[in-house]
Every structure is written in C-alpha cells, then in structure tokens.
C-alpha cells in the first residue's frame, strides 16, 4: 500500500474521532479500521509497516492534539479557528503530527500530501487554505530548529 493510501485511512479515523468524541481512540480504531478494510481498502494491501504508520499516526494525533492545535491556531491569520472544516482540521493535524513526530516524512511531503487529500475530500478552496497554514507551520518549525 502506498503511504498516501495509509494517510487516507488515518484521515478517516481522525475525521471520525472528531465526531465521536465519546468513544475511545482504541475502540474507534478497532471498529473503524476493520470496517475500512472491509469496505474501502483491501486487507491484503496493508503490510505491517502500513498498519504501524496508521496506528502511530492516529493515536499520535490524539496524544498530541493540544500541542498540534496550538501550532495550527498560531499559523492561522485572517481566519477563525472554529470555522475550519472538519476535513481540513483532520488534515492539518495529521500533517503537523508528521512534521513533529515522524522522522521519515519531510515537511514538504507532509504539506503536499495534505494538500492533495484536501483537493480530493474538501471544498474547492480548502487546499489553498491547508497549503498556506502548513507552509507557515513548516517555516516556523524550521526557524525554531
């Protein structure tokens, strides 16, 4: 499976968790991951590395949500944080998580992949917003190193 397909699964999980705040990440992962594998993705396509990335990214986003959301809100100008679509917010969280906590994803790749998924799953203008926020985050993270 390609990493972009694995990110799509993470996107589904993160997006769903935003709606099901009352369910634990563990239960949601168990239920939704099995459903996704049956309905959308073929289980044979997911190897151990894919499953590890999916699990690490999903649980990692929610383990670090407060820090990630602070970074995102600090990178937004001229837009109210609570007006961000749930899909865009999920993509921003995943990309920022990748920039901060994974060693195998460069900031440029994290930005590009989030923008591409935004084009597929969010409104017509969302990809430009996602791109702008993530480029700002990337510059800030690079400047702080």
């Amino acid at each position: 499976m390609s990493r972009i397909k694995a990110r799509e699964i993470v996107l589904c999980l993160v997006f769903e968790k935003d709606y099901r705040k009352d369910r634990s990440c563990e239960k949601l992962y168990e239920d939704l991951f099995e459903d996704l594998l049956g309905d959308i993705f073929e289980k044979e396509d997911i190897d151990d590395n894919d499953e590890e990335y999916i699990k690490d990214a999903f649980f990692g986003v929610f383990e670090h949500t407060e820090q990630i959301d602070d970074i995102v809100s600090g990178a937004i100008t001229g837009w109210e944080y609570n007006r961000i679509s749930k899909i865009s917010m999920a993509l921003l969280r995943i990309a920022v998580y990748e920039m901060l906590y994974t060693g195998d994803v460069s900031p440029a790749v994290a930005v590009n992949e989030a923008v591409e998924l935004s084009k597929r799953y969010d409104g017509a203008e969302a990809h430009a917003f996602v791109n702008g926020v993530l480029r700002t985050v990337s510059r800030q993270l690079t400047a702080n190193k």
Side-chain angles (χ1 to χ4, degrees):
M1 167 179 279
S2 69
R3 182 57 69 94
I4 188 124
K5 288 289 186 193
R7 270 190 198 88
E8 282 183 275
I9 293 174
V10 175
L11 174 61
C12 292
L13 291 165
V14 171
F15 179 80
E16 187 69 20
K17 177 65 177 138
D18 203 30
Y19 280 103
R20 296 185 178 195
K21 293 181 187 339
D22 59 324
R23 296 193 75 189
S24 72
C25 285
E26 292 79 10
K27 182 67 174 152
L28 187 65
Y29 178 83
E30 181 181 301
D31 293 347
L32 192 59
F33 189 67
E34 291 301 319
D35 289 346
L36 289 171
L37 292 184
D39 296 340
I40 300 172
F41 301 97
E42 299 297 322
K43 186 161 182 74
E44 304 81 46
D45 293 341
I46 297 179
D47 63 24
D48 290 341
N49 290 333
D50 297 326
E51 191 166 349
E52 182 180 348
Y53 165 78
I54 292 164
K55 194 171 195 174
D56 288 349
F58 174 60
F59 287 99
V61 163
F62 288 99
E63 180 180 338
H64 302 286
T65 298
E66 189 174 320
Q67 179 190 18
I68 292 169
D69 287 358
D70 286 347
I71 290 169
V72 168
S73 67
I76 297 171
T77 55
W79 193 260
E80 291 180 37
Y81 183 79
N82 62 350
R83 290 186 56 213
I84 301 172
S85 75
K86 291 193 183 298
I87 287 287
S88 287
M89 196 63 223
L91 289 167
L92 292 169
R93 286 176 172 158
I94 294 164
V96 172
Y97 170 81
E98 288 182 323
M99 287 185 219
L100 290 173
Y101 298 104
T102 62
D104 66 338
V105 179
S106 73
V109 169
V111 171
N112 185 59
E113 296 294 335
V115 168
E116 290 305 312
L117 287 170
S118 180
K119 288 176 183 177
R120 255 182 101 184
Y121 292 107
D122 211 344
E125 303 298 318
H127 70 279
F129 173 77
V130 168
N131 184 56
V133 171
L134 291 176
R135 292 215 180 271
T136 298
V137 169
S138 178
R139 281 192 302 275
Q140 290 171 346
L141 293 176
T142 302
N144 291 336
K145 285 187 176 182

